[in-house]
Amino acid sequence: MTRLVVSGLRVDRAHLPVVRDVSLAVESGRISVLLGANGAGKTTLLEGLSGVIPVAGGTIEIDGHDIHRARPGARVAAGLAHVEQGRTVFRQLTTDENLRAGACAASDVAAAYELFPELLPRRDVPAGLLSGGEQQMLVIARALAGRPKILLIDEMSAGLAPTIVRRLMATVRRLADQGLAVVLVEQFAVLALGVGDRAYVLRRGEIVYDGACAALRDAPDMLHQLYLGGSGDGPA
Amino acid sequence: MKRASLRPVLAIVVAAVVAGAIITGLLPGYWTYLATAVLISAVALQGIGLVAGRTGMIALCQMSFAGVGAWTVGFLNVGGAPGGLAVWIVIGGLAAVPFGVAIGLPALRLRGINLAIVTLGFATAFDAILATITFPGQTRFISVARPAMFDGDGGYFVFALLFYVALAVALEFLARTRLGAIWLAVRHSERAAAAHGISIPRAKLSAFAISAFIAGISGGLLAGYLGTLVADNFSMMQSLVLFAVSTMTGAQFAEGALIGGILAVAFPEILRRLDLGQDIGNLLFAIGATQALSAGEAMSETLRRKVRGFRGARPAAPHPGVAIAPPAPPPRHQGVALATRELGVRYGTVVALHGVDLTVPEGAVVGLIGPNGAGKSTLIDAVAGFLHAYSGSVELGGRAVDGQPAHVRARNGVRRTWQTTRIAPELTVGDYLRLAGGDLPEEQVGAILSWIDCPHPDTPVASVDAGTRRLLDVAGVVAARPKVVLLDEPAAGQSYDETLKLGRRIAEIPNLFGCAVLLVEHDMDLVRAACSEITVLDFGRVIAAGPPAVVLEDPRVRKAYLGIEEGSAAA
Amino acid sequence: MNALLTSVVAGLTGGGAYGLLGVCAVFTYRLVAVVNFTAAAIGTTGTFVLVMLYEAGAPLWLAMACGLVAGTVAGIAIGLVMTAWFAESSASTKAAVTVALLVGIVAIGLRLTGGQHPHHFPDLFPGSAMRLAGVELTFSSLLTIGLGVVFTVLAETFLTRTRMGLHLRALSERPMAAELIGVPVRRLAVLVWGITGAVTTFSLMIIAPQRSPDFASLSLLVVPALAAALIGLFRSFWITLVGGIMIGVVEGTMSVFPGLSQYRGAVPFLIILAVLLWLQRGARWDEAR
């Protein structure tokens, strides 16, 4: 049982506070969905968690150990994996090399192909030549090959066809059911709410909703307002 | 020229007169002799400070340019050319210019690192050539003749001082012109500079030419100082040391060059008196330069920041009255400011834009929205001329601009802002506005700044917070009064109230400045506040266009933002 | 004719060393993104350790081993400075730092080795290997070229076949993504600096006896090395190696003609100029910033 507890987190970008006073808790077997419009601070929050950018305040604890000052590499060792947005495959490396670069042992690579059999026929192809969906599978598989306990995924569905998104969502659900703690950052809310357990909604860097995914799913008006603004929120 | 800008010039002249009087009047001859060496080094440092410190290029052959100047002076001396040393020195400086331009040319448009390699290569080549051809008069021991009135140690010190002061004053004036601001802008971001209509090659070449001229002058001064020269005076190692010293002290400022000159002369002198190796001085310069690069701040920059800090403690001058309205816009035709026709962009196998037709009418504020990766920033890059290739056409005011580089498009009427602000922090707020908007009258600068709540024109950009810098970006593009401005997420990082206020300002732009606006933004409240029309991109295609109220309720737009038809995926 | 051939062959030793140094420069640039102006100075440091020990009476093999270790340590020291303080800096800032460090290393080097005071450089591999068309091929020329080929092959094999090489390639492509999958970024960077330190030292040991034997001149052999790397566009090991050999051969050829031989030092510059002008066809300015 792993717990990631974040409290009072503040992350700045170019000296501007982009994430302000965010607290959340994530645990094994659960998918936490992080929603919000573009620019709400979702990506910055994940980058603060994984150490891509330094945090300006607050704490990040994995099973009671504060890691908010550790380098990204040390956070990986503590069990955190971060799948960045934009499908950051090593383009000049083949699919297999991408997996091996992240793997602890050969068995991890084999496990990756089991999870995503689509990648097996593409194993010797440079990752830059894979389709968007295959690249997304590859970066998730590459992160899993390092045997993380907590998986942060940023904008998994951006630019992908709906069938692929459903396929990936189902896989993420299965991973969580097997004991992984997942934080899913999504701009496309509905599908994510379909597989997630708990939802957080960010607006201008602050959490404005914290509750069950199901409750948010059943309130489309609320969702619509969160994304497209207008009605009921300030003098629009 | 403003009175404020005369102050540093006056300071230089007064300091020079006082120092000159003290050194020639009170100090023993040997000290005067050393002080002359300080001045000659300081002149050489000013040359490299311009190209390395101000424009941000790594130039490693400054002493070779000095060698060209010195050689020319020696040549004119042996040939008994008319005019005397002062004239020869200026001719020597001019002789170095074509070398500077020729070395700068091949490295202009490529990665800056190549300039370092080519200049170091030139320094080696010059070493080899100079060792072979030797200095005119070197073998016959013909010494360079000094002017009669500057012949002694004290006299030649005054002679060198005159050159140093003349160059320092000229450079101080130059730094305050638009060219000075352009150099800083190029150093900070070439793309952003090009977006203001600045020709990058011309900016770099001008810096290189002037810097070579100053180096040539320093070589000529050295020729008169030492009388006879050997190739070693201008060796590649000397150029490298000069680069280290200028990096350490910040030779782009007069005081930085002078401090560098003092260190370059004093270190070896002290070490000599202590019976230590003089070359160890270079080790200190290496450490100092590394430290300055690591801190991102040279000695003169630290000094200026401290001084500014003391001055900043005084209350800021009040804003110029809001009463001065920006002048009436140029006569407006009811036409199209910007149009794209079948605009297509692909990155390798990925299609980023797919035959996009977009029209921004004159006098309109058009919003461009869409989910992440929809192609909004790509569209701005294509329109502003920052993409190597696209298909289709971009038209400004009905005229196709395809094939024009970014800075030409900027001059022809399209200006853009960036998602991350790229304003050179060394500028003042007013400098930046004049850099972006051309030579604006003083009261116009004040009026535009107070319109968008930016600080006083004399405020250094370095002390302006990041959110306000984004407003300054907007002020800069509208000050140029182009046909159309492209604003890329101007509200990022602003609070809710600031965002709405910015929205109202953006809505005013067409009337106040006569520009149409294309606004890329995620914040829908800002879009609603500012835009009369919205275009929605998804997967590189336009999926909806029209008035905000209609478009934002469109089911296709909801789908683009929420992923799937609402409700269909619930389970 | 024979004189020309002899000079061309004489240029091979220098050319081989240039190529090898160039390959090291490409290796450093591709893997840790630094254009390293201290490369030759690092090698010179190791070479002078060899010379001083040898002059003090140490056996040649021991002096050489100590020299190689010293070069490796010097390389790692520079690497530590670069990774500790300049990991996030731009490429041109990093290059400026190495220029500053070069000034410092040369200052220390000149001090410790007595400035222009002449040293005796032992010829590590004396004698000629064979005669070809009446021209002697020296051991050192064959050795530097051979070593250049071996290092190029090894570098490519190491990068494509080993796990560490895999990590290095991942690191060079996306440093942050590599760090996020647990690649030991800093340790690998230091390793790269150590390897290039050792190899540059070895090539300088071979070429030093033929050059003016003072610390500064040897350190400035970085110019032909960078010229070679530029020919390979800082990407291709093989083109860099061939480019380096070519520079050496052109220098050798020039030494035959009495009017030209003094201008040999200008060869790398002319080649740099030619390469840059050729590269500019249709290229645009530095838009990365």
Side-chain angles (χ1 to χ4, degrees):
Chain A
M1 189 70 183
T2 302
R3 262 177 82 81
L4 170 72
V5 180
V6 177
S7 54
L9 194 71
R10 179 184 144 150
V11 189
D12 292 358
R13 212 180 259 281
H15 305 292
L16 285 178
V18 177
V19 169
R20 322 160 198 234
D21 194 26
V22 163
S23 300
L24 45 85
V26 175
E27 55 192 43
S28 299
R30 313 262 285 168
I31 298 178
S32 304
V33 179
L34 203 54
L35 299 174
N38 265 337
K42 308 183 298 286
T43 295
T44 306
L45 173 54
L46 284 204
E47 290 182 345
L49 293 182
S50 67
V52 173
I53 50 179
V55 302
T59 59
I60 307 166
E61 290 180 1
I62 295 181
D63 294 335
H65 298 286
D66 188 10
I67 56 157
H68 86 275
R69 282 183 205 282
R71 284 195 55 82
R75 301 189 198 193
V76 173
L80 201 66
H82 178 185
V83 176
E84 293 174 281
Q85 66 174 342
R87 303 194 278 276
T88 56
V89 294
F90 302 117
R91 303 177 62 86
Q92 285 154 32
L93 273 56
T94 64
T95 301
D96 205 57
E97 287 175 330
N98 265 276
L99 292 173
R100 279 191 281 135
C104 301
S107 61
D108 297 323
V109 177
Y113 288 125
E114 260 170 53
L115 191 65
F116 295 110
E118 295 94 326
L119 293 178
L120 201 51
R122 314 284 270 158
R123 57 180 300 163
D124 294 322
V125 176
L129 299 179
L130 298 180
S131 74
E134 287 166 339
Q135 288 186 346
Q136 190 64 60
M137 291 175 198
L138 179 55
V139 286
I140 294 174
R142 190 179 69 189
L144 291 173
R147 301 178 194 165
K149 293 182 284 187
I150 302 155
L151 181 63
L152 317 174
I153 311 182
D154 196 359
E155 297 284 0
M156 183 172 73
S157 55
L160 297 183
T163 48
I164 309 245
V165 177
R166 283 201 188 90
R167 152 93 177 82
L168 289 171
M169 290 286 182
T171 306
V172 169
R173 181 71 254 174
R174 207 164 81 225
L175 290 169
D177 291 341
Q178 288 163 7
L180 197 66
V182 180
V183 177
L184 198 56
V185 161
E186 272 296 328
Q187 199 193 347
F188 301 138
V190 178
L191 265 183
L193 290 176
V195 298
D197 300 298
R198 185 164 178 179
Y200 297 94
V201 177
L202 275 178
R203 183 161 190 157
R204 293 200 175 86
E206 284 167 313
I207 291 190
V208 294
Y209 176 89
D210 173 359
C213 283
L216 197 56
R217 201 165 57 214
D218 296 338
D221 282 350
M222 189 170 164
L223 257 187
H224 181 259
Q225 187 219 313
L226 282 170
Y227 280 91
L228 300 174
S231 51
D233 188 286
Chain B
M1 191 51 64
K2 289 185 296 170
R3 239 176 313 142
S5 62
L6 281 174
R7 201 171 44 206
V9 168
L10 223 68
I12 292 173
V13 173
V14 170
V17 169
V18 172
I22 292 175
I23 289 172
T24 49
L26 299 178
L27 291 182
Y30 182 66
W31 286 94
T32 315
Y33 180 77
L34 283 184
T36 314
V38 167
L39 287 176
I40 296 172
S41 303
V43 171
L45 282 164
Q46 282 184 318
I48 195 171
L50 177 67
V51 67
R54 190 165 286 274
T55 321
M57 299 187 283
I58 307 178
L60 303 177
C61 61
Q62 213 62 19
M63 287 312 285
S64 307
F65 295 152
V68 172
W71 196 91
T72 309
V73 167
F75 181 80
L76 295 172
N77 176 55
V78 170
L85 185 57
V87 174
W88 301 342
I89 286 176
V90 174
I91 296 175
L94 292 174
V97 170
F99 286 89
V101 173
I103 305 302
L105 265 179
L108 269 189
R109 305 199 297 178
L110 294 158
R111 288 173 308 168
I113 205 75
N114 289 338
L115 187 71
I117 300 175
V118 76
T119 49
L120 193 63
F122 177 68
T124 349
F126 190 77
D127 274 6
I129 293 167
L130 204 56
T132 310
I133 64 173
T134 69
F135 275 97
Q138 182 183 335
T139 46
R140 287 178 292 155
F141 303 103
I142 301 176
S143 166
V144 173
R146 291 181 187 173
M149 65 179 292
F150 297 118
D151 199 29
D153 278 347
Y156 200 70
F157 170 79
V158 173
F159 185 75
L161 186 65
L162 288 176
F163 269 95
Y164 170 76
V165 170
L167 286 172
V169 168
L171 284 172
E172 185 64 36
F173 272 112
L174 207 53
R176 277 148 200 286
T177 61
R178 186 153 187 268
L179 187 59
I182 284 174
W183 286 331
L184 287 175
V186 168
R187 161 179 151 168
H188 195 65
S189 163
E190 291 184 9
R191 288 166 68 95
H196 289 312
I198 294 164
S199 159
I200 306 298
R202 199 175 304 163
K204 286 184 171 178
L205 267 192
S206 62
F208 230 70
I210 296 174
S211 149
F213 173 74
I214 300 172
I217 298 261
S218 77
L221 284 171
L222 194 63
Y225 180 62
L226 297 176
T228 52
L229 294 164
V230 289
D232 247 11
N233 295 120
F234 305 100
S235 77
M236 177 156 80
M237 235 21 244
Q238 304 287 341
S239 289
L240 293 178
V241 171
L242 199 69
F243 176 79
V245 174
S246 94
T247 307
M248 173 180 174
T249 63
Q252 64 268 42
F253 299 118
E255 67 272 22
L258 199 60
I259 296 171
I262 292 169
L263 294 182
V265 173
F267 269 167
E269 181 64 19
I270 293 168
L271 292 167
R272 188 182 65 83
R273 293 188 177 215
L274 295 175
D275 247 355
L276 292 167
Q278 300 180 26
D279 41 17
I280 288 300
N282 292 349
L283 177 61
L284 299 174
F285 298 140
I287 294 170
T290 309
Q291 195 277 333
L293 286 165
S294 152
E297 194 176 68
M299 285 165 79
S300 61
E301 288 168 317
T302 314
L303 208 66
R304 291 206 166 192
R305 184 166 52 82
K306 294 257 163 77
V307 171
R308 203 170 53 214
F310 292 135
R311 284 210 204 122
R314 292 180 302 177
H319 272 281
V322 193
I324 316 161
R332 210 188 310 151
H333 322 279
Q334 286 307 315
V336 173
L338 169 73
T340 68
R341 308 247 182 261
E342 287 289 311
L343 190 65
V345 176
R346 45 170 65 241
Y347 299 116
T349 54
V350 181
V351 180
L353 287 181
H354 217 292
V356 171
D357 287 312
L358 177 100
T359 305
V360 180
E362 285 187 358
V365 178
V366 174
L368 182 63
I369 65 171
N372 262 346
K376 304 180 297 288
S377 293
T378 303
L379 186 126
I380 289 208
D381 279 345
V383 168
F386 287 96
L387 285 185
H388 287 263
Y390 56 80
S391 60
S393 176
V394 175
E395 293 174 7
L396 276 179
R399 219 176 269 179
V401 294
D402 313 297
Q404 295 178 355
H407 72 275
V408 178
R409 291 191 196 195
R411 291 175 192 173
N412 285 341
V414 56
R415 295 288 171 109
R416 66 167 297 178
T417 64
W418 305 85
Q419 284 189 13
T420 49
T421 175
R422 300 180 177 208
I423 305 173
E426 299 90 346
L427 296 170
T428 68
V429 168
D431 285 342
Y432 177 71
L433 214 61
R434 277 183 291 268
L435 171 76
D439 281 325
L440 297 169
E442 194 83 358
E443 68 276 3
Q444 271 310 301
V445 170
I448 295 172
L449 288 176
S450 58
W451 166 70
I452 202 162
D453 289 332
C454 278
H456 190 273
D458 291 342
T459 318
V461 170
S463 66
V464 174
D465 69 85
T468 309
R469 285 190 209 187
R470 310 219 45 169
L471 299 180
L472 187 55
D473 269 331
V474 176
V477 289
V478 298
R481 295 170 189 271
K483 292 191 184 72
V484 60
V485 296
L486 316 174
L487 304 180
D488 200 352
E489 300 190 19
Q494 311 269 354
S495 77
Y496 184 71
D497 291 339
E498 288 165 345
T499 300
L500 290 182
K501 198 166 172 188
L502 179 61
R504 288 193 291 275
R505 292 287 174 267
I506 291 174
E508 290 168 8
I509 289 176
N511 281 330
L512 286 178
F513 299 94
C515 332
V517 180
L518 182 66
L519 170 68
V520 169
E521 189 47 66
H522 293 304
D523 195 301
M524 293 304 154
D525 294 329
L526 174 60
V527 171
R528 284 171 204 268
C531 298
S532 50
E533 285 175 54
I534 296 183
T535 299
V536 188
L537 278 184
D538 193 25
F539 286 105
R541 293 173 199 269
V542 175
I543 58 165
V550 179
V551 169
L552 291 179
E553 294 302 319
D554 188 322
R556 284 170 301 178
V557 177
R558 286 164 164 251
K559 184 187 163 189
Y561 269 88
L562 304 177
I564 305 288
E565 286 87 340
E566 284 160 50
S568 76
Chain C
M1 184 58 214
N2 205 3
L4 182 64
L5 202 60
T6 310
S7 311
V8 169
V9 172
L12 282 180
T13 315
Y18 297 163
L20 193 53
L21 289 171
V23 168
C24 283
V26 174
F27 197 73
T28 314
Y29 180 73
R30 272 184 53 177
L31 297 178
V32 291
V34 178
V35 173
N36 180 17
F37 284 88
T38 64
I42 291 170
T44 306
T45 307
T47 305
F48 267 95
V49 168
L50 165 122
V51 170
M52 313 279 262
L53 287 177
Y54 182 67
E55 283 173 348
L60 188 56
W61 65 268
L62 181 68
M64 201 172 140
C66 291
L68 283 175
V69 170
T72 312
V73 171
I76 290 175
I78 302 282
L80 285 176
V81 170
M82 298 310 293
T83 42
W85 293 318
F86 299 98
E88 316 284 321
S89 303
S90 71
S92 54
T93 305
K94 286 179 184 169
V97 174
T98 64
V99 171
L101 291 175
L102 170 63
V103 171
I105 296 174
V106 170
I108 302 173
L110 283 177
R111 180 100 288 260
L112 296 183
T113 61
Q116 311 288 335
H117 168 76
H119 285 273
H120 173 62
F121 280 64
D123 211 341
L124 294 182
F125 306 96
S128 67
M130 55 168 130
R131 295 180 73 83
L132 210 89
V135 177
E136 281 191 21
L137 274 176
T138 58
F139 265 123
S140 357
S141 68
L142 284 185
L143 196 72
T144 47
I145 293 177
L147 198 70
V149 173
V150 168
F151 184 65
T152 305
V153 171
L154 272 184
E156 289 197 331
T157 318
F158 170 69
L159 286 179
T160 48
R161 300 256 183 263
T162 66
R163 180 172 164 79
M164 206 178 267
L166 180 63
H167 278 171
L168 278 170
R169 280 187 294 148
L171 169 67
S172 71
E173 199 180 322
R174 289 180 183 271
M176 187 45 81
E179 190 159 3
L180 283 176
I181 58 169
V183 171
V185 175
R186 288 179 176 223
R187 216 180 315 149
L188 284 180
V190 169
L191 180 86
V192 169
W193 284 97
I195 292 175
T196 52
V199 178
T200 48
T201 304
F202 193 76
S203 39
L204 266 147
M205 285 175 174
I206 293 173
I207 194 182
Q210 307 173 9
R211 299 288 156 149
S212 59
D214 70 287
F215 202 97
S217 322
L218 288 177
S219 299
L220 296 179
L221 284 176
V222 72
V223 175
L226 290 177
L230 204 57
I231 293 174
L233 301 182
F234 279 95
R235 228 180 9 242
S236 160
F237 291 127
W238 285 110
I239 300 179
T240 300
L241 182 62
V242 172
I245 294 173
M246 202 184 74
I247 294 174
V249 168
V250 172
E251 282 186 4
T253 313
M254 276 179 83
S255 63
V256 183
F257 305 99
L260 283 179
S261 60
Q262 303 96 313
Y263 299 110
R264 279 192 320 170
V267 168
F269 169 64
L270 295 175
I271 288 177
I272 292 169
L273 212 56
V275 173
L276 286 182
L277 286 173
W278 184 75
L279 280 178
Q280 279 207 355
R281 303 156 307 137
R284 301 180 62 147
W285 70 79
D286 189 355
E287 283 186 347
R289 285 182 291 149

